[in-house]
């Protein structure tokens, strides 16, 4: 893994299958690290002929947003939001999309296929709309357009997502218990949830993390995003929209709205999939991504 410094951001990234001709960039979701794009899944894409780039968004994993404004650790999320909003948002989702372009420029890559999950899917939409000359295709997984008329996330899941977590250093076991419970809640009914695998992934994330509470700034970027239907209508790249029937964060209607709004987009609804990509679907989704880029 390598790091590139771009203005206020230090972006950690990894390139797999460097000799392959076609590049695909994998964009992670809210507070999610690049390792959520599992190595097995990435290897499948490499076998399909892709040079795979996965990276940590700013404020997650080993990527850092160098802000002089500290996030208070003794306040509720509502109080933190109020404080940061009053001072002006630290950055926007468009800034995060620009990070992707900066990374492509750093690697001397003119055009790439883009795949984004959850918040990463919104960033992918912005890339497809504002940088059409850089985007060969889009795959948007379990995401939303942020259309305010769409169904809201499950209230219990949102409460779990936004509550202050146990301190991973002082209360590690409680922290892991909370996170595993949340991951199981959103995993969907059609596939077996592996709590041991999730625990191992969480522990790896703790080792890799360089930013404390950075997810709050990402949440603020999402919360300040202004829905504009023209963003999706302007996308000209081939687009594959994938969603699960059991998604409790973004209702399946959110994915369908994206598919209906992008001209010529392909809609794929997967029965029993929640707000995660189970290992049992790696091969299927990898094949569909590969097919959609041809």
């Amino acid at each position: 893994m390598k790091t590139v410094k771009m203005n206020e951001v230090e972006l950690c990234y990894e390139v797999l299958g460097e000799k392959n001709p076609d590049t695909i960039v994998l964009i992670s979701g809210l507070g999610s690290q690049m390792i959520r794009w599992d190595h097995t899944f990435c290897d499948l894409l490499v076998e399909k002929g892709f040079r795979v780039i996965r990276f940590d968004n700013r404020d997650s994993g080993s990527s850092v947003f160098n802000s002089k404004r500290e996030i208070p650790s003794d306040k509720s999320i509502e109080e933190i939001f109020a404080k940061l909003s009053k001072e002006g948002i630290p950055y926007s989702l468009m800034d995060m999309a620009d990070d992707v372009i900066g990374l492509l420029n750093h690697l001397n890559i003119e055009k790439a296929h883009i795949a984004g999950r959850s918040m990463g899917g919104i960033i992918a939409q912005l890339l497809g709309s504002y940088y059409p000359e850089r985007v060969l295709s889009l795959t948007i997984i379990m995401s939303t357009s942020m259309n305010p008329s769409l169904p809201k996330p499950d209230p219990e899941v949102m409460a779990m997502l936004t509550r202050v977590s146990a301190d991973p250093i002082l209360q590690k076991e409680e922290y892991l218990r909370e996170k595993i419970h949340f991951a199981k809640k959103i995993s969907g009914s059609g596939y077996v949830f592996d709590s041991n695998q999730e625990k191992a992934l969480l522990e790896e994330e703790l080792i890799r993390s360089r930013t404390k509470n950075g997810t709050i700034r990402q949440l603020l970027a999402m919360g300040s995003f202004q829905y504009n239907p023209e963003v999706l209508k302007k996308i000209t790249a081939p687009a594959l929209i994938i969603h699960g029937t059991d998604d409790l964060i973004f209702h399946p209607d959110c994915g369908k709205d994206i598919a209906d709004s992008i001209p010529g987009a392909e809609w794929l609804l997967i029965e029993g999939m929640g707000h995660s990509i189970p290992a049992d679907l790696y091969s299927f989704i990898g094949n569909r991504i590969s097919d959609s880029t041809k």
Side-chain angles (χ1 to χ4, degrees):
M1 295 183 184
K2 300 178 181 179
T3 301
V4 57
K5 184 170 176 54
M6 301 182 294
N7 299 319
E8 297 176 298
V9 178
E10 296 174 42
L11 215 63
C12 178
Y13 67 94
E14 182 178 28
V15 181
L16 305 169
E18 292 193 53
K19 295 182 180 180
N20 287 345
D22 295 324
T23 298
I24 186 166
V25 180
L26 307 179
I27 310 176
S28 302
L30 176 70
S32 181
Q33 300 187 21
M34 70 163 87
I35 57 175
R36 291 280 168 179
W37 294 102
D38 191 271
H39 237 301
T40 301
F41 180 75
C42 293
D43 288 343
L44 285 168
L45 293 176
V46 169
E47 290 172 9
K48 293 288 183 181
F50 291 105
R51 173 171 44 178
V52 177
I53 299 173
R54 61 178 188 169
F55 70 100
D56 292 322
N57 286 313
R58 57 169 71 188
D59 267 334
S60 64
S62 295
S63 290
V64 176
F65 172 66
N66 295 306
S67 174
K68 295 179 181 178
R69 286 186 285 172
E70 292 292 326
I71 299 175
S73 58
D74 59 342
K75 305 289 185 183
S76 70
I77 286 181
E78 290 77 12
E79 290 174 312
I80 295 170
F81 276 6
K83 182 179 186 295
L84 292 181
S85 297
K86 187 176 180 180
E87 296 174 349
I89 64 168
Y91 52 79
S92 67
L93 291 185
M94 194 68 219
D95 291 324
M96 299 180 77
D98 288 338
D99 289 345
V100 179
I101 297 301
L103 179 57
L104 289 176
N105 291 342
H106 171 70
L107 295 171
N108 296 312
I109 297 170
E110 183 180 355
K111 298 182 179 183
H113 302 282
I114 303 291
R117 58 198 291 172
S118 197
M119 181 188 72
I122 307 174
I123 294 171
Q125 295 166 46
L126 293 172
L127 289 167
S129 185
Y130 290 97
Y131 293 100
E133 74 283 1
R134 307 296 297 270
V135 176
L136 293 170
S137 74
L138 289 174
T139 300
I140 299 171
I141 306 171
M142 55 193 183
S143 191
T144 180
S145 64
M146 300 292 280
N147 184 337
S149 68
L150 291 168
K152 305 302 180 188
D154 178 86
E156 182 182 353
V157 165
M158 279 307 294
M160 295 168 68
L161 182 63
T162 56
R163 75 166 57 114
V164 178
S165 300
D167 188 298
I169 297 175
L170 301 177
Q171 303 165 290
K172 183 179 177 181
E173 290 307 313
E174 177 64 14
Y175 172 86
L176 292 173
R177 187 193 67 78
E178 288 177 0
K179 294 299 184 182
I180 292 170
H181 177 63
F182 177 75
K184 184 175 183 178
K185 178 74 175 178
I186 66 171
S187 65
S189 63
Y191 300 88
V192 175
F193 176 76
D194 188 336
S195 59
N196 291 327
Q197 183 183 39
E198 180 65 23
K199 183 179 181 181
L201 193 55
L202 287 165
E203 290 184 325
E204 185 178 355
E205 286 178 330
L206 288 176
I207 293 170
R208 297 186 72 253
S209 184
R210 292 178 59 196
T211 302
K212 186 175 182 180
N213 295 331
T215 300
I216 291 174
R217 283 192 287 254
Q218 292 185 3
L219 269 172
L220 197 60
M222 281 194 70
S224 64
F225 181 79
Q226 297 294 313
Y227 168 69
N228 180 357
E230 296 304 313
V231 168
L232 293 173
K233 291 178 183 178
K234 290 195 303 181
I235 293 174
T236 57
L240 170 64
I241 317 303
I242 302 174
H243 219 97
T245 59
D246 292 5
D247 195 328
L248 296 178
I249 294 181
F250 296 133
H251 189 277
D253 287 355
C254 297
K256 187 65 166 62
D257 177 70
I258 299 172
D260 290 343
S261 301
I262 298 177
E266 180 184 357
W267 168 237
L268 175 59
L269 183 65
I270 300 179
E271 186 68 34
M273 186 176 97
H275 198 76
S276 61
I277 305 175
D280 288 346
L281 286 174
Y282 287 171
S283 181
F284 175 71
I285 290 178
N287 287 334
R288 293 303 296 264
I289 291 174
S290 178
D291 290 344
S292 72
T293 62
K294 295 175 181 176

